[in-house]
Every structure is written in C-alpha cells, then in structure tokens.
C-alpha cells in the first residue's frame, strides 16, 4: 500500500461498538475467552475441538510442534463429511435446509441435511465403484452448483483428498494442477453459466486431459443439457446422473486420522508454479467450525450467504466445511453480481431473507460505483451481520457497506486470513470487539500474530512491518504438496520457527491490526491471488514477446490491477492490436482474472547488475511517483527513458 494510503488509515478514528441487542443474543460475548486462550492455547483449542466436533475416537496428544511441522489432536479419529452432514441428519435438522441454491438463469433448489446425507452417500459409492481409494486425489472443476459441495463432501467421506480448481481457470491451469496432484479422477460439468454465456468446462477439461495422463475417469454433471453437447470419451467419461441412478444409498463415513489429508488447494506464490496447500482433517475442521460459529455468530435460524466460489479457500472454509459443520443454512449463488441486473445480490438477500452476508471488498466497491439505488430497491432488513474478506477494505467501502447494506445496524467482521491459514485469523468477534472502518481488529482467540521488522524485532505502535504468526494453530497448512523445500523457504526461512505471512501490517495504539497489502510478488486482483511470474510466463509464451515484467497497480474497483511491461521481438509491431492479443493470450493461458489491465511496450527493463528486474521502480513509474533509489541499476538511463515513454503512452 502507498504511503498516502497509510496516512489516510492513520487518520481513521471512527469506532463502532456492537449494539446491546446483538450482544445479548451472541454465541460468545464474554471477553474472557481472549485471556483464557492466551493463558493456555493448547487447552483452549482442545476444549473447542471436543465441543464443536464429533470424534469417533479422541486424540491422545493435543499438539506436537517441530517447527515448521505441527500435528494437532494426534491419535484422534473423525470424518469431515460426518461432521458436516451425518450428525445433523440424525437430528431434527434432517429436514432443515442445508443448501439454498440459486442458479444464474434463476433456477433454484433447496437441499436439506437429509437430502445432502443421501446424495453424498450415493456419490461416495459412485467414487468407490470407480476405484477411488483412501488417499487418491480427486480433482473437481465445477460451476457453483450443489454438486460441487456434494463432490467435496463425498471425497471427504471416503478419505480421498479433493483438489478443487476454480471453474474460471483455463485448460492449461487445470492441467498444471491435475499433473502436480497426480489426480486419478476429474469431476466436472458440461458447462456453467456466467452472465448468460456458457463456460465450456468439459471442453476445457478435454484440453487439459490431453496434456496430462494421471486421470483415468471423468465424471460429468449435466448443468446445461438441451442442445449443448459435449464429447464423452468411451470408457473414460461418465455422466453423473447415470452413475447415480444405480448407486447404493448408504456408505459409511471412513474414520480418518486427525492428520490425514482432507484436501489440496492450489494458490499462487511468488514464483510461476502454483502451490498445493495441504490441509488435514482434525485441525482444519476445528479451526473452521469454531471461527464460523463465533465470527459469524451462526445460529440455527440464520441464513448465511458466503458469496465466494468453492474454487477458493473462502468457499472451502465458509461455504462448505465451516457453516455445514455448524448445521447452518447456506445460500449458494452460481452467477455474477450484475446479471441480469446490478441488484441481483440484493434480490437474493430479499428472496431468501439472508441474515449474514460474507463478501469481498472488490464487490463492495463495484456496488458503490453502481450506486445505492440498487440495494434500495430491496428489503434488506433480514441482514444482521456483514463480513468482508480477501483484501484490505478501504474505510470508504466499509462505511458504504455499513450504511447502505447493513442499514447502520449490522456489525462488520473484516476477516484476515489466507489459503495457508485454513481459517480466519484476525477478525473482530462481533459481540466483543468494537470495529474501526478498515481494520481487521484483533486476533481470533488462540491465534498469536506479531509485526516484525527485517531484523525480527517487534515494531512500534503504528509502524509498518511484516505480519507473522508466532505460535502454531490447528488449521495451519501442513505443507506444500510434493515440495517440502519450498514450504520451508516461503514461510519459515525469514524468521526462525515463526510463520511469515507475506503481508505487511501495523498495529495501532489500541492493538488493532491494519493490513497493508502483500510485501512479495503476489498480486491481489479482486481478492484473487496471482503471482507476477505466473502472468510473466504467460506473456513470454506468446510468440511476439521477448521479455516481460508484471506488477500490481492500484485499481479503483479490483484493489489491484495488472500492468505489464513488455519487450517485443524483432519483426513485430508494437500496436494496439498486439496489446489486445497479449491480454487475450494471458486470459487464455491462466483465466480471465489474470488479464492485464495495461500493457506497455518498452525497449528495455530496469535491472540490477545481477540481472534482477526491479519491480519497485516499475511500480513507481506506473503509479506516477518519483523514482526511488536507482543506484543498484546496471543502467540507470533505462528507467528514466521508460518513465518518459510511459507518461507519453498512458492507457
Ligand atoms: C489478503 C483469502 C486484508 C492478504 C482468504 C492475504 C486480506 C491474501 C484480507 C490471502 C483482509 C485476505 N484484509 N487483506 N481481511 N483477507 N487478504 O489465500 O494479502 O486467497 O495474504 O485467502 O489475501 O489470499 P487467499
């Protein structure tokens, strides 16, 4: 984040305490939980693991900590699917809505816990009948439909770790992830709906499978149907509905070890290769269940809507595992917020009487820009709590959310966490912590963040530094699939035995945390993580490109946009049509979220004497600042020329 933005945040002094009404009914309202967890965090987590989950067998040891390797609830046996489905289906909740689904074209379905229980068992039997065994990786590449959750839960039921790949990713991105995980089965759909158009999921899957060889079986859910046909390869591809017709109704949930792998989820790091973040069963389920219950104050009468796709960690933890483990009713919406019109979200809130809404700042900023007339068209009085996730929320967007969506009465939980942390880490407990617009406030009880400088010293009040977590927590990632060295290198080498988040932060005089954005080469576009190198590799893959450097630049709606500085090969013309072709090429290689906002042609890039591109200087140029220190450059004139040229060809 830029110094001017930090200054603006420093001036933010508004404080919003929770209302008496909210406190009176909250799941947790005793501030003593913070002290209790600080006194003995292992006892704190053990107590809640026991209270909020069903265990087939209790653990014998709470924590074994050999940095950076943690094991939690050792010897314990449980099943994530059993906790999310069976234990509710055995009670009065059998006929309670688990998933309320709204399709983009307006179709709707409600699945009760009883329905979910039947479907996951049948689908688990389908997987078994196709030879899926405990430990086999299953890749899921689906639209946001109930079957995506059913597929995840069925995998969890039989102990086959899933790897969900966001349906907006390209065939190449899917192929990389299938290959890395050596997935045996791929679950997909003929297509999905996005702004009235069909996303050709099966076609992408076919392209991906031509590049990989581990997948033996493909299961295809028919989401589009009608005249829309897809190729079905004899012997390899099967229709979901056909397999389900004959699947037996019961399939017991496999007792899994606490430390058995529940899933892999790929995310971007600072190199081009995505990382397979590993989450195990006991610790992860403890983290997501307790945070969902306390942060969202989830109760049986709530209608909880997390707008994330299951392709991201937010969808894993707070659309599927966390809320279902609590027996909550969840809304799932397949489409875009502006289709068919810009009031779609508010129409959904009104239609289903949503009580808790969890979305991203990028969406809030878009709503702000579209104007308050859209939410005003609908009755939003059912809402009682709002959440934000994915990127820093600027105070203006926070205030708009508070006033125009929350009607001034709903607490806002700004939740900081990561794919790697599994569950929410820094957040207000809405009945205990007074909020400040733009601050994620306090660590969740039992979580110990700190802000350090380069030497590993704690920085002073209101001084920026690196956000770290000093003690282990149950839902922390257990590592990167197939790459233990990178795990140590990325998160555990900057400070000894301390988790390095990759984010900058400061703490104010009340101890509140203010997140300042990434400090590494990760860009956060609309709350989605991308690495600069991933985009650079996609660019140099184009025949016209000799070299490329990519940076994140401030973007009004997306938080960050992507700017690419490109050197083209001899014989190509640096014109608008090449710019468009390059943008399109990146979108096709990675996915639409990675499409650069700006492409600049240049003859040279600023490099150090050892050949490293100085992105810091490119950022100075792109954001119109005076150039920082250029003394380490091999040829300082390059950057000066680039600055002049850039100012001349502003997009
Ligand atoms: C950023 C998403 C500020 C942060 C759950 C982090 C945030 C990255 C917030 C993780 C927040 C997430 N305030 N920044 N409330 N939430 N971030 O893995 O930079 O997709 O490191 O997990 O998003 O992104 P990821």
């Amino acid at each position: 984040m830029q110094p001017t933005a930090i200054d603006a945040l420093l001036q933010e002094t508004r404080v919003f305490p929770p209302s008496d009404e909210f406190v009176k009914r909250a799941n947790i309202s005793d501030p003593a939980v913070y002290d209790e967890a600080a006194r003995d965090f292992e006892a704190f987590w053990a107590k809640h693991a026991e209270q909020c989950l069903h265990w087939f067998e209790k653990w014998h040891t709470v924590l074994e900590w050999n940095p950076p390797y943690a094991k939690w609830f050792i010897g314990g046996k449980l099943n994530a699917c059993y906790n999310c489905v069976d234990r509710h289906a055995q009670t009065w909740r059998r006929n309670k809505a688990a998933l309320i689904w709204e399709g983009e074209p307006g179709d709707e379905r409600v699945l009760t816990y009883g329905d979910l229980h039947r479907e996951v068992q049948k689908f688990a039997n389908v997987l078994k009948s196709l030879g899926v065994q405990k430990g086999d990786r299953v890749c899921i590449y689906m639209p946001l439909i109930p079957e995506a959750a059913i597929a995840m839960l069925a995998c969890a039921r039989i102990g086959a770790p899933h790897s969900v790949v966001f349906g907006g990713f390209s065939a190449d991105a899917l192929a990389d992830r299938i290959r890395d995980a050596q997935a045996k089965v791929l679950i997909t759909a003929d297509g999905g709906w996005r702004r009235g158009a069909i996303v050709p999921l099966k076609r992408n899957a076919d392209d991906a499978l031509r590049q990989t060889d581990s997948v033996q079986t493909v299961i295809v859910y028919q989401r589009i149907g009608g005249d829309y046909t897809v190729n079905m390869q004899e012997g390899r591809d099967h229709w979901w509905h056909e397999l389900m017709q004959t699947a037996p109704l019961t399939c017991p949930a496999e007792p899994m070890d606490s430390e058995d792998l529940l899933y892999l989820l790929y995310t971007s790091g600072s190199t081009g290769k995505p990382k397979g973040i590993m989450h195990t069963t006991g610790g992860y389920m403890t983290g997501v269940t307790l945070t969902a219950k306390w942060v969202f104050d989830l109760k049986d009468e709530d209608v909880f809507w997390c707008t994330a796709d299951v392709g991201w960690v937010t969808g894993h933890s707070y659309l599927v595992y966390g809320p279902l483990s609590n027996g909550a009713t969840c809304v799932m919406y397949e489409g875009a917020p502006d289709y068919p019109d810009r009031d779609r979200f508010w129409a959904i809130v009104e239609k289903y009487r949503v009580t808790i809404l969890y979305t991203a700042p990028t969406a809030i900023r878009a709503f702000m820009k579209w104007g308050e007339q859209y939410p005003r068209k609908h009755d939003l009085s059912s809402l009682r709590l709002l959440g934000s996730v994915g990127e820093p929320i600027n105070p203006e967007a926070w205030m708009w959310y508070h006033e125009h969506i929350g009607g001034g009465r709903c607490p806002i939980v700004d939740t900081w966490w990561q794919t790697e942390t599994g569950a929410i880490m820094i957040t207000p407990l809405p009945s205990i912590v007074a909020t400040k617009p733009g601050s994620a406030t306090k660590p969740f009880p039992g979580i110990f963040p700190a802000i350090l400088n380069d030497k590993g010293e704690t920085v002073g009040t209101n001084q920026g530094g690196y956000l770290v977590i000093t003690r282990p927590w149950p839902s922390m990632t257990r590592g990167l699939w197939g790459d233990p060295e990178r795990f140590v290198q990325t998160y555990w080498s900057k400070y000894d035995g301390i988790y390095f988040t990759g984010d900058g932060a400061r703490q104010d005089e009340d101890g509140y945390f203010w997140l300042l954005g990434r400090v590494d080469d990760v860009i956060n576009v609309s709350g989605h993580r991308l690495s600069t190198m991933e985009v650079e590799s996609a660019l140099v893959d184009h025949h016209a490109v000799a070299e490329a450097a990519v940076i994140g630049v401030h973007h009004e709606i997306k938080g960050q946009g992507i700017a690419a500085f490109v050197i083209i090969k001899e014989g190509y013309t640096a014109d608008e049509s090449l710019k468009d072709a390059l943008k399109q090429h990146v979108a096709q290689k990675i996915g639409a979220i990675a499409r650069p906002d700006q492409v600049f042609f240049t003859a040279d890039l600023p490099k150090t004497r050892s050949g490293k591109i100085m992105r810091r200087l490119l950022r100075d140029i792109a954001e119109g600042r005076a150039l920082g220190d250029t003394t380490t450059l091999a040829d300082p004139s390059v950057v000066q020329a680039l600055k002049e040229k850039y100012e001349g060809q502003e997009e």
Side-chain angles (χ1 to χ4, degrees), residues 247-298:
L249 279 174
T250 54
C251 171
E254 184 77 21
M256 301 294 287
D257 208 273
S258 264
E259 284 298 330
D260 275 339
L261 189 60
L262 175 61
Y263 68 77
L264 291 178
L265 181 58
Y266 285 85
T267 186
S268 293
S270 46
T271 72
K273 191 172 175 289
K275 314 182 267 201
I277 304 291
M278 300 200 279
H279 281 295
T280 57
T281 311
Y284 176 80
M285 287 304 292
T286 301
V288 298
T289 308
L290 187 66
T291 50
K293 183 171 172 183
W294 283 3
V295 176
F296 299 117
D297 192 40
L298 273 181

Side-chain angles (χ1 to χ4, degrees), residues 267 313-314 388-392 414-420 501 503 515 518 524 527 529:
T267 186
V313 74
T314 306
S388 171
V389 63
E391 40 172 331
D414 172 8
T415 61
W416 176 89
W417 58 295
Q418 309 176 298
T419 307
E420 293 86 341
T501 64
D503 277 32
L515 277 301
R518 299 289 304 193
N524 191 329
R529 274 164 74 169

Side-chain angles (χ1 to χ4, degrees), residues 190-222:
D190 52 351
W193 290 108
R194 189 77 184 165
R195 295 201 173 88
I198 294 170
V199 184
L201 294 172
K202 178 62 166 65
R203 209 172 67 205
N204 292 346
D206 288 338
D207 288 349
L209 293 180
R210 270 191 285 279
Q211 308 172 38
T212 53
D213 53 16
S214 62
V215 170
Q216 297 158 9
T217 308
V218 180
I219 304 172
V220 187
Y221 182 81
Q222 194 172 59

